[in-house]
Amino acid sequence: MSTPYAKLPAWADYGLIPLINLFVAFVVAGFVVVLVGENPFRAAIILVEGAFGKGTGIAFTLFYATTFIFTGLSVAVAAHCGLFNIGTEGQAYIAGLGIAVVCLSFDSTLPWWLTFPLAIVAAAVVGALWALIPAYLQAKRGSHIVITTIMFNFIAASIMVYLLVGPLKPAASQAPQTRNFLAGAELPKLNWIIELFGAKIRSAPLNVTFLLALAMAFLVWLLIWRTKLGYEMRTYGHSPKAARYAGISETRIIITAMMISGALAGMMALNPVMGDQHNVAIDFVSGAGFVGIAVALMGRLHPVGIVLAAILFGMLYQGGAELAFEMPAISRDMIVIIQGLVILFAGALEHMFRPYIQALFASLSPRSVGMEAVKGKGA
Amino acid sequence: MDVFNAIVQTLDSTIRLSVPLLLACLAGLYSERAGIFDIGLEGKMLVGAFAGAAAASVFHSAFLGLGMAILISVAFAMIHGFASITHRGNQIVSGVAINFIAAGSTIILGQAWFQQGGRTPALQPGERFEAITLPGADAIREVPILGPIYAELLSGHSILVYLAFLMVPFTWWVLFRTRFGLRLRAVGENPAAVDTAGISVAWLRYRALICTGMLTGIAGAYLSMVQNGGFVKDMTAGKGYIALAALIFAKWKPVNAMFACLLFGFLDALSIRLQGSPLPIIGKVPVQFMQALPYILTVILLAGFIGKAIPPRAGGVPYVKER
């Protein structure tokens, strides 16, 4: 069978098409703003100003971006192996449990730079273990990973609600959350970096987890494109048959990929829990796992793209809060629509504009799309 | 007698709670049997619920509300079709997108149009579907055992409840006794064979999705116009996913789907009824455990410990004609 689409130059493939898809998603979102009776251009200006206008805004944008880098990487690692990990949400949520155990045990005795590595390990291990069961079921019993990870999201939510209204809640408190962590489990802020550039920051939760996120983005790049394991994962993702023929163990590769994905999802919990709220509360993930799907798709599964897409979504979250303040008709739920539209146009409809762009490129310069070569093969 | 009454009441709320699951589950049955995975059931139910309650309250008519619920829900199903059939996009990605667009737009539009914090105005009598009293229900209410069963359990539901349960044999008949059903099942197993027979795979799958949209629309209308007197944000609360679980539990068969939905509805009814009161023998069961039970059961089933769930073979694979 011929490949469905002829090749485009790399810059068009990785730059132009995602930008067009993104543009269309925002145009449709603009129509929703019009439907609500507001001016979409003014909304866009408020949004961008809210996100980047002041130092505090930038710090908040990067704080949200940190969360989305982790979940985006998590979805991307699984996707490279051909697995759709829709359970990022649940893996991050349950990882809060690991962090809670570490922080509640050591926050009075250890300094933050000892608690932090322990919490990283705990979050990663718990997240990975929560992904292990669906991975095992997919590899060994052929149950569809999408369905099992959805189910595991709900199971994780039930477990966390049970623990946070019961065993983990301090007896004197009414709020369904753990007690507040002491100084030993509070991560230092990174706001001084932005202040170096002369901006003023009142209080923003940007913290060292941001650096961890960037490091993880680099490690994921290393893993996927520079190691044997990454090569095997991509092979399996591209063609399970070819992978089997090459002697790659299906079970091993599925389980490894999903556990790495789960570990990355788990680390996401560090950012809000240790960097901002300093406790584990009900629903602290609040949809970040699902944002990861949009981020990964928009970043075309590449860490650089994911970091950029995460910053864009961080901008939407921060600017969206400002927007809700300025235009009461547009609450933060507008972001959910934009998120959905991005997933639709950058994900499910990613090839919609490709034929037209191909035709355009072909008319401008037939060589750039390899017209002769394709014709020669009789496609 | 108290125990008996308690049982009748629990079963009665089982029926009420199963209906949205059943409608959504049958909706999923049409699309998945045609080879289109649909995790957007949740979102389509949500837009159905919103459109139904909004239209009913604006036009003061329950039936116009139901019609609007179906219309909007089908429109969303068509977006799913456009992405996953016409453009051969990833069906799961498309379903996720629909869920998000539904969750966001119902709140934004609801707030913009009605200014009640994402709710629609409370529905007045005549704008919602009222309970129907079956003939003779009041006459035999006093008869022991049979009376309460007939008057409480079977009678006194809205028309959509009876419609939902009638959809079960109807769906069975459509899928297994009509030409359309045979082709629909064939396109989910082996679309190439259907194509070879000169039948359009895309059109067949679109028609399956229209059925899906209609049923999720009714399910949504039931939530906002029967169970609740108006739309509340996120009112589907994961029911679309439970319906998906029920569909797998039912092994993609209509009659099994009804029993699976009744089981999950029963678990829900039981967890509301027990609310922390201890059970004999087992002791106190956390509410959260009861709520998670449908998901746990589905995972166990998927793991192959309760029979084997084999999905339609072409499910999730976009059909590409050989070129």
Side-chain angles (χ1 to χ4, degrees):
Chain A
M1 199 165 67
S2 60
T3 49
Y5 303 104
K7 245 188 140 73
L8 278 174
W11 66 268
D13 214 359
Y14 293 103
L16 188 61
I17 289 189
L19 280 180
I20 292 176
N21 289 337
L22 194 64
F23 177 72
V24 176
F26 276 96
V27 168
V28 177
F31 278 116
V32 179
V33 175
V34 172
L35 213 56
V36 167
E38 293 280 3
N39 180 347
F41 296 103
R42 209 170 81 81
I45 291 168
I46 295 173
L47 203 131
V48 174
E49 264 186 8
F52 293 120
K54 291 199 196 90
T56 315
I58 299 174
F60 263 102
T61 299
L62 292 180
F63 166 74
Y64 292 122
T66 308
T67 298
F68 303 145
I69 293 174
F70 283 117
T71 52
L73 289 174
S74 163
V75 174
V77 166
H80 274 295
C81 194
L83 302 164
F84 197 137
N85 181 10
I86 213 168
T88 310
E89 184 83 9
Q91 289 145 16
Y93 201 3
I94 205 91
L97 184 64
I99 299 175
V101 169
V102 168
C103 289
L104 294 175
S105 324
F106 297 116
D107 63 349
S108 57
T109 47
L110 296 181
W112 75 267
W113 46 271
L114 285 177
T115 325
F116 190 41
L118 287 176
I120 295 175
V121 172
V125 167
V126 176
L129 287 179
W130 199 247
L132 169 66
I133 307 167
Y136 174 83
L137 292 177
Q138 163 89 43
K140 283 284 184 193
R141 328 263 325 182
S143 20
H144 203 298
I145 196 118
V146 171
I147 305 291
T148 39
T149 48
I150 291 177
M151 300 300 135
F152 267 70
N153 282 345
F154 285 102
I155 298 172
S158 293
I159 293 177
M160 290 304 280
V161 171
Y162 171 71
L163 290 174
L164 290 173
V165 298
L168 281 178
K169 184 173 70 76
S173 156
Q174 284 295 318
Q177 57 197 37
T178 63
R179 71 165 167 81
N180 277 350
F181 301 153
L182 305 174
E186 290 183 8
L187 298 179
K189 302 274 189 270
L190 281 184
N191 296 333
W192 55 270
I193 295 185
I194 296 169
E195 281 173 342
L196 281 185
F197 294 97
K200 286 260 181 316
I201 291 178
R202 263 171 289 145
S203 75
L206 179 64
N207 59 75
V208 288
T209 327
F210 179 62
L211 301 180
L212 180 70
L214 293 182
M216 283 302 150
F218 177 70
L219 286 181
V220 166
W221 174 80
L222 215 58
L223 167 77
I224 301 285
W225 280 282
R226 288 292 181 274
T227 64
K228 181 164 165 274
L229 178 64
Y231 183 76
E232 288 176 344
M233 278 165 54
R234 281 184 295 139
T235 309
Y236 185 80
H238 219 75
S239 163
K241 264 188 200 157
R244 235 170 281 145
Y245 189 70
I248 296 169
S249 157
E250 213 170 336
T251 315
R252 185 178 65 90
I253 206 75
I254 290 177
I255 289 183
T256 321
M258 275 305 283
M259 286 186 75
I260 295 172
S261 174
L264 287 165
M267 283 185 227
M268 170 258 143
L270 296 163
N271 191 38
V273 168
M274 289 182 75
D276 183 22
Q277 301 166 348
H278 305 133
N279 60 36
V280 177
I282 276 193
D283 204 23
F284 72 87
V285 186
S286 60
F290 298 117
V291 181
I293 300 170
V295 167
L297 288 172
M298 225 178 76
R300 307 221 45 161
L301 308 183
H302 192 287
V304 174
I306 289 169
V307 170
L308 292 177
I311 291 174
L312 179 89
F313 268 92
M315 183 192 102
L316 287 177
Y317 265 64
Q318 166 54 19
E322 297 284 321
L323 188 60
F325 188 70
E326 294 273 334
M327 293 182 172
I330 304 174
S331 62
R332 278 180 87 175
D333 299 292
M334 191 68 212
I335 304 165
V336 181
I337 302 185
I338 297 179
Q339 198 177 315
L341 290 169
V342 167
I343 296 176
L344 184 67
F345 286 103
L349 286 172
E350 65 173 330
H351 299 309
M352 183 160 67
F353 299 106
R354 191 177 279 262
Y356 305 107
I357 292 167
Q358 251 155 16
L360 184 73
F361 270 86
S363 66
L364 291 177
S365 106
R367 267 248 228 60
S368 70
V369 288
M371 288 287 272
E372 286 90 353
V374 173
K375 268 180 193 152
K377 279 180 195 160
Chain B
M1 210 56 203
D2 275 352
V3 176
F4 176 72
N5 277 338
I7 291 173
V8 168
Q9 274 166 15
T10 310
L11 291 181
D12 185 49
S13 59
T14 297
I15 289 179
R16 287 166 205 275
L17 292 167
S18 316
V19 165
L21 299 181
L22 178 56
L23 286 165
C25 187
L26 292 174
L29 186 68
Y30 280 95
S31 77
E32 300 223 338
R33 276 285 185 159
I36 304 284
F37 278 160
D38 196 352
I39 62 172
L41 293 175
E42 174 89 0
K44 289 200 278 283
M45 261 162 98
L46 197 62
V47 290
F50 175 71
S57 121
V58 170
F59 302 119
H60 308 294
S61 155
F63 281 97
L64 270 180
L66 179 65
M68 191 56 87
I70 291 175
L71 199 69
I72 299 295
S73 187
V74 169
F76 269 70
M78 291 301 96
I79 297 176
H80 187 49
F82 181 69
S84 58
I85 303 171
T86 304
H87 285 284
R88 300 193 290 267
N90 186 319
Q91 296 167 5
I92 289 158
V93 174
S94 163
V96 171
I98 281 172
N99 286 342
F100 280 121
I101 296 172
S105 56
T106 48
I107 301 176
I108 292 278
L109 294 179
Q111 175 60 19
W113 290 343
F114 302 105
Q115 270 110 28
Q116 295 184 7
R119 290 166 169 268
T120 60
L123 294 178
Q124 307 303 318
E127 295 172 0
R128 49 187 298 195
F129 290 98
E130 305 297 337
I132 294 173
T133 311
L134 291 185
D138 289 321
I140 69 161
R141 186 177 295 272
E142 299 310 317
V143 178
I145 310 293
L146 278 180
I149 288 181
Y150 185 70
E152 297 269 331
L153 197 58
L154 298 180
S155 169
H157 295 288
S158 96
I159 183 149
L160 295 186
V161 174
Y162 301 106
L163 179 71
F165 283 93
L166 281 178
M167 283 313 292
V168 176
F170 180 73
T171 300
W172 175 85
W173 178 76
V174 167
L175 283 182
F176 296 96
R177 286 294 178 273
T178 66
R179 179 161 27 171
F180 170 66
L182 178 68
R183 288 173 174 178
L184 191 145
R185 284 181 293 130
V187 89
E189 296 290 337
N190 190 350
V194 176
D195 201 15
T196 314
I199 302 157
S200 164
V201 172
W203 172 226
L204 203 51
R205 286 186 166 172
Y206 266 110
R207 275 184 288 172
L209 279 178
I210 292 174
C211 299
T212 303
M214 289 172 76
L215 287 170
T216 46
I218 301 173
Y222 176 82
L223 286 176
S224 67
M225 297 166 65
V226 176
Q227 220 170 44
N228 203 334
F231 176 83
V232 188
K233 72 174 187 177
D234 270 331
M235 73 185 310
T236 43
K239 287 195 178 61
Y241 296 113
I242 299 196
L244 211 59
L247 183 60
I248 297 162
F249 213 73
K251 297 172 188 174
W252 293 271
K253 292 195 176 90
V255 179
N256 288 2
M258 182 182 75
F259 288 117
C261 291
L262 283 171
L263 172 68
F264 291 173
F266 176 70
L267 290 175
D268 201 2
L270 206 60
S271 75
I272 293 170
R273 178 139 199 113
L274 294 176
Q275 284 290 3
S277 56
L279 278 177
I281 308 165
I282 319 167
K284 197 171 158 181
V285 182
V287 188
Q288 290 82 18
F289 177 74
M290 299 289 280
Q291 282 163 350
L293 205 52
Y295 307 114
I296 297 172
L297 284 177
T298 307
V299 171
I300 295 173
L301 173 88
L302 277 171
F305 296 119
I306 322 172
K308 190 139 181 70
I310 302 166
R313 200 143 53 93
V317 190
Y319 179 63
V320 186
K321 257 186 206 255
E322 194 73 33
R323 270 164 300 180

